[in-house]
Amino acid sequence: MKFETPAGINPIDKQTVIGKPTDRIEGPLKTTGTAKYAYEHNDVVSNPAYGYVVGAAIAKGRIKSIDQTKAKAAPGVLAIVTAASAGPLKPGQFYVDKLLAGPDIDHYHQAVAVVVAETFEQARAAASLLKISYTKTKGAFDLAAAKDSAPVPKQGQFGPPPQTNVGDFGGAFASAPVKLDETYTTPDQTHAMMEPHATIARWDGDKLTCWSSIQQINWGVRDIATVLGIPKENIRLISTFIGGGFGGKGTVLSDIIAASLAARAAGRPVKVALPRPLIMNNTTHRPATIQRIRIGATPDGTITAIGHENWSGNLPGGRPESSTASTRLLYAGANRFTQLRLAVLDLAEGNAMRAPGEATGMMALEIAMDEMAEKLKMDPVAFRLKNDTQEDPEKPGRKFSTRKLVECLQTGATKFGWSKRQTQPGTVREGQWLIGMGVASAIRGAPVMKSAARVRLSREGIVTVETDMTDIGTGSYTIIGQTAAEMMGVSLDKVVVTLGDSTFPESPGSGGQWGAASATSGVYAACVKLREAVANSLGVHIEDAEFVGGQVLAGNRSHPLGDAAKAAELVVTDEMTYGTLSREYAQDTFGAHFVEVGVNSYTGEVRVRRMVAICHAGRVLNPKTARSQVIGAMTMGVGAALMEELVVDKHVGFFVNHDLAGYEVPVHADIPHQEVILLEDIDPTMSPMKAKGIGELGMVGVAAAVANAVYNATGIRVRDYPITLDKLIDKLSING
Amino acid sequence: MKTFTYERVNTPVEAAAAAARTPGAKFLAGGTNLLDLMKLEIEAPPHIIDIGKIGLDKIESTPAGGLLIGALVNNTDLAAHSIVRRDYGLLSRALLAGASGQLRNKATTAGNLLQRTRCPYFYDTNQLCNKRVPGSGCAAIAGFSRQLGIIGTSNACIATYPGDMAVAMRALDATVETVNAKGAKRALSLDRFYRLPGQTPHLETILEKNELITAVLLPPPVGGVHIYHKVRDRASYAFALVSVAAIIQKNGSGRVAVGGIAPRPWRVEGAESLLPSGAKAFAAQLLTGARPTKENEYKLALVERTVAAVLNEANH
């Protein structure tokens, strides 16, 4: 099915199952510990061996030698795989990192060997007996030092153009009566998902099956084939449940390659999980940024010039952190300039992490807007409202499909009690605590991608959905089940959802906030076809048929749905593809975040006291799972604001705090009550589902809202994330 | 993890005797720190002596009016004990500021005293660390030192003692009781229990080889307001940047020990007479001789300000 014109009324609009705050259908599996994660598929491999990945001990240089004598002689050791023994390996088509390196080392903890043994403990013990000698060479680890020589990168597969110019930014900024020119920095961050990267690999002849934790099955198959140099047809990839990914498990990383090579070398299935302290330097991360923002305005608060430059670093060939994306679309202004610059750094690969580009860019832009409002003596909400636009500011005439940023800000201001905010910072005190309020807008693209599904109808009236879509903890099982139930007129308990298997029809997987809207549309397409097959089988006209209550009503007759499969199970496959609506309209999601913080006037400790998020993100397929996405994202935003930082040791050349004790993310005690309001947004330009993603929107802007609240509480403007107390106390007055 | 042998002993003296038989052996109590370190091969003992069944799990009032805490009393039970809560609230608060509920259920009194530093370079066996490999060097001093020590450190090591419980015990004038393989007992006051690193940061306490901690003795309660203020980047489950354990009396006198800044709980009795004059004077005296790095010099101000917060709270 191809979606080319805005959707009319369709069965989804009935919203008898869709749009309900249904509990997750896979929830009981998770709460009882019976949902199987990658490393836990013990039923499918008998007698597995265990692989332990060894990371490079240096940041850059070359392996001189690997002495395997002691490791090979250690108890239980079956095989040792290194780049030298593995044969030629190519990088994948998304990540640029070499997944088994040698003799050249590109970054700290890059995988250099896999030790395979009968037990995990034996593999780990033997791994420490590998004697690897290195020759170190000088590396670049300091973004600030590399900044000035960093070139503008080429346009990548994702992300905005590396440079945009509209009107005369330079002239307009120079002549603007009120202007701001500030630099903001955001640190490297790690996904810190609960489940580590893990894979079980099994070879049957030249056929490879991997049970792995991976967000995009189709990319995974492509990249296993690319890296190992084997045909895609020989690969089966299964990812039934994922214990969090946040973009860190987009496609193939070292665990899959290590397990596959180890299984081949050992002649047995092999299990590999990356040890937690390896993950931060071995896999991908959100790269640090330096961002310069310039805004010019007239005294009434009309933005006349807006410029955003971003510097980030990566391994050679890696992508930039596209922090300028939101600035292109969020606010009006006739004269505009954005630019990305990309330095080469010899740290682990920088890549996608929840709302890549938007999350980082809005950390800067939305502080800048707060600063600009103050210069203009305007309320920060009013300043944003003043500069709303209903068309793409780079392409006048191109409308947003739907855009309720104004309503998000206004609704949030009312719910939050924004009118009680004191304009003068540092003036509200409760005991030792200074109290402040902050706001930020949110915007995140709403991509939809081609997605396919197979649906089956049994004579018992059970509808089974098969797609290689994944569930990374988001609720994919449930919303896909709700879609099929709505389409086929059955209750949710009559639907079976099976996901995450490359033998199923291809979806775009979980990533880029495209998963929910895309995968459910693929299921919609397949269900349209199944409805036709049902009508055909029952001998009724599809135009007359109504699917409701497990029955097919046509004229004055009623057939149990399962009757259509009496003779044989009905099986259909279809995919949803897209025309040009996404070019005709700017399709985005919007929101507003309101935060209240307390800052201890003695110690500078910052604690978030209240949070309200308003989201405008297409049809809400399930308010409960949508809310869960948003509160999780808000929590991640608090982490970004107040504590998350992979610290670079610029002498040694690595992320120092590479475990979950050193890399702090928020705990329950950090997170107060979070209120989430989902504004109605049925967007017919998206797909027949009229839905958009929400999982990344919920994070965008949160950190800046916290930063702005800290400023309002203390009068101290911190432009260098995270806002830790050492950046506050030297300026903080104990007595007010 | 290196292969090790394991035995379980029945009495404290047996434990010490078992340790005497195998050089490098380690006692296993709660295991909340040791097992993690063994998995990373930061600790690689050839032999483990499980002391989980030797008793030492009681909290008893002493005839002199103090409190004797068995070495194997777990942190949860200690924090919840009625006498601790009534008379040594500082200790209860410090314990509850540390770790998580699950860890406190396993972690023991003696084990907590002996937990090792959380310096990230100590934890990464590829990095130079004089505490882990004596004489190898220290990557932390020129590296990421925001969390690390500002006083009592040396040019060989700037690691901190990471715990909370011992900081409170230091303010409470606790004594550590021990036994050796011959059954001889010692009582070591906590003020001299921890060594400063000097050139031998791998030697962390004055415990002799094979000596087993049997108890911690608290002297009779001293009254006053008990406050434990732990400052950290998140609200729970994090090690202190700075923690202040304070007992403040009505007349403004008091005792203050500070965590998170030194290789041991940092208390300077001679500075405490300045407490009635305020945090600034007290902190200046307490931190005399501090040698912070550029990354952790904020701790100088943070100590003073946290003490000020505590004094402010004590007066309300």
Side-chain angles (χ1 to χ4, degrees), chain A residues 26-37 40-41 43 240-241:
Chain A
E26 82 289 5
L29 291 177
K30 292 183 175 175
T31 52
T32 56
T34 48
K36 283 210 179 81
Y37 291 83
E40 301 176 325
H41 288 275
D43 50 333
T240 319
F241 291 102

Side-chain angles (χ1 to χ4, degrees), chain A residues 41-50 78 116-119 200-202 266-271:
Chain A
H41 288 275
N42 299 317
D43 50 333
V44 294
V45 289
S46 55
N47 196 26
Y50 293 79
L78 300 167
V116 195
E118 293 284 350
T119 69
I200 303 175
R202 185 184 76 197
R268 273 167 64 175
V270 169
K271 300 174 78 162

Side-chain angles (χ1 to χ4, degrees), chain B residues 8-65:
Chain B
R8 178 176 275 175
V9 293
N10 297 308
T11 69
V13 176
E14 268 182 41
R21 282 194 297 273
T22 314
K26 283 270 178 186
F27 300 120
L28 174 68
T32 57
N33 194 201
L34 180 64
L35 294 189
D36 286 352
L37 294 169
M38 287 172 68
K39 288 175 188 172
L40 296 166
E41 297 195 5
I42 295 161
E43 297 266 17
H47 187 62
I48 289 290
I49 302 158
D50 185 341
I51 58 171
K53 302 285 181 200
I54 63 172
L56 305 182
D57 55 354
K58 301 278 188 302
I59 301 172
E60 296 162 307
S61 296
T62 67

Side-chain angles (χ1 to χ4, degrees), chain A residues 5-197:
Chain A
T5 54
I9 299 290
N10 67 49
I12 295 297
D13 293 314
K14 286 195 285 187
Q15 295 215 155
T16 56
V17 190
I18 280 288
K20 298 285 184 279
T22 311
D23 287 346
R24 291 169 190 234
I25 57 177
E26 82 289 5
L29 291 177
K30 292 183 175 175
T31 52
T32 56
T34 48
K36 283 210 179 81
Y37 291 83
Y39 203 73
E40 301 176 325
H41 288 275
N42 299 317
D43 50 333
V44 294
V45 289
S46 55
N47 196 26
Y50 293 79
Y52 195 83
V53 175
V54 180
I58 62 164
K60 189 164 175 65
R62 210 174 153 79
I63 296 172
K64 261 194 294 197
S65 63
I66 302 181
D67 181 353
Q68 304 186 3
T69 318
K70 278 191 177 166
K72 269 194 172 145
V77 170
L78 300 167
I80 296 172
V81 181
T82 64
S85 71
L89 300 171
K90 287 191 184 133
Q93 296 183 36
F94 185 63
Y95 299 140
V96 299
D97 192 18
K98 291 195 207 87
L99 301 177
L100 183 62
D104 293 326
I105 302 299
D106 306 310
H107 62 88
Y108 188 66
H109 274 174
Q110 193 173 28
V112 293
V114 194
V115 178
V116 195
E118 293 284 350
T119 69
F120 169 76
E121 288 77 11
Q122 288 172 332
R124 184 175 59 186
S128 73
L129 298 173
L130 272 184
K131 260 184 87 84
I132 308 178
S133 307
Y134 298 94
T135 308
K136 285 188 201 174
T137 53
K138 210 166 165 286
F141 312 112
D142 186 349
L143 176 62
K147 168 178 177 275
D148 289 342
S149 58
V152 175
K154 283 198 267 262
Q155 169 76 55
Q157 185 189 357
F158 297 95
Q163 188 163 312
T164 61
N165 275 294
V166 176
D168 171 21
F169 169 76
F173 181 73
S175 61
V178 183
K179 53 186 143 190
L180 167 126
D181 181 354
E182 287 292 354
T183 297
Y184 307 84
T185 57
T186 66
D188 296 283
Q189 295 175 341
T190 186
H191 310 82
M193 70 294 277
M194 289 255 275
E195 181 203 22
H197 301 72

